[in-house]
């Protein structure tokens, strides 16, 4: 087990919202948080508009691939953030769950995806302040 807190981001296709959230968490935590993402029905590839929107803020998620949600990945996470995957996410006592209601960027233009991206960033910053309170005070 790692001493670092861990966060898992889950959406249906693991191609947009959860990938953007994972990208922000990796970048903004500076490696201080173990990051996972998955989907209940993973897509074949990440949404290219989400990739473009993240590139605009200096975060490259092109190497990421949608992954299937597994109970094991959920169980070893400290916090699981769901984004529209409904009741398919397994529940384990002791794991913190949050459901972030965010518009699905699938099929949306870059303007809408930017809005979703920026909302995700704000939520990640708040979550980081909770997971790493000492480092947040130094930021």
């Amino acid at each position: 087990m790692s001493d670092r807190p861990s966060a898992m981001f889950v959406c249906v296709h693991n191609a947009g919202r959860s990938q953007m959230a994972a990208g922000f968490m990796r970048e903004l935590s500076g490696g201080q948080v173990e990051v996972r993402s998955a989907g209940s029905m993973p897509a074949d590839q990440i949404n290219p508009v989400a990739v473009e929107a993240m590139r605009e803020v200096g975060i490259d998620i092109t190497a990421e691939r949608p992954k299937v949600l597994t109970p094991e990945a959920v169980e070893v996470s400290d916090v699981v953030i769901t984004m529209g995957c409904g009741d398919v996410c397994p529940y384990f006592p002791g794991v913190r769950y949050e459901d972030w209601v965010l518009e699905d960027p699938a099929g949306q233009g870059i303007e809408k995806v930017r809005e979703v991206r920026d909302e995700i960033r704000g939520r990640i910053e708040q979550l980081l302040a909770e997971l790493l309170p000492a480092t947040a005070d130094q930021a």
Side-chain angles (χ1 to χ4, degrees), residues 1-52:
M1 281 297 223
S2 172
D3 289 337
R4 297 182 299 163
S6 59
M8 180 164 196
F9 300 95
V10 182
C11 66
V12 176
H13 299 297
N14 191 219
R17 294 166 290 185
S18 57
Q19 291 286 354
M20 289 191 289
F24 275 127
M25 181 60 82
R26 277 191 292 276
E27 182 73 22
L28 298 177
S29 75
Q32 294 182 77
V33 175
E34 188 176 345
V35 180
R36 300 177 185 88
S37 71
S40 54
M41 296 186 311
D44 294 330
Q45 66 179 7
I46 294 183
N47 179 339
V49 184
V51 171
E52 179 184 348

Side-chain angles (χ1 to χ4, degrees), residues 45-135:
Q45 66 179 7
I46 294 183
N47 179 339
V49 184
V51 171
E52 179 184 348
M54 292 300 284
R55 187 178 292 126
E56 290 177 354
V57 295
I59 298 175
D60 183 4
I61 60 172
T62 56
E64 300 301 321
R65 298 288 172 258
K67 294 167 279 308
V68 69
L69 176 65
T70 65
E72 296 80 15
V74 172
E75 187 174 24
V76 298
S77 298
D78 294 314
V79 61
V80 175
I81 306 297
T82 59
M83 304 172 190
C85 65
D87 296 331
V88 298
C89 193
Y91 176 81
F92 292 95
V95 174
R96 174 180 159 191
Y97 292 85
E98 286 186 27
D99 184 48
W100 291 357
V101 178
L102 297 162
E103 191 164 339
D104 188 348
Q108 301 286 341
I110 188 68
E111 296 82 14
K112 179 53 74 177
V113 176
R114 285 179 184 135
E115 290 175 20
V116 174
R117 174 201 66 198
D118 294 345
E119 185 173 350
I120 289 171
R121 181 183 190 127
R123 290 175 185 234
I124 291 295
E125 289 170 345
Q126 181 178 348
L127 181 59
L128 266 172
E130 296 167 12
L131 293 175
L132 303 171
T135 58

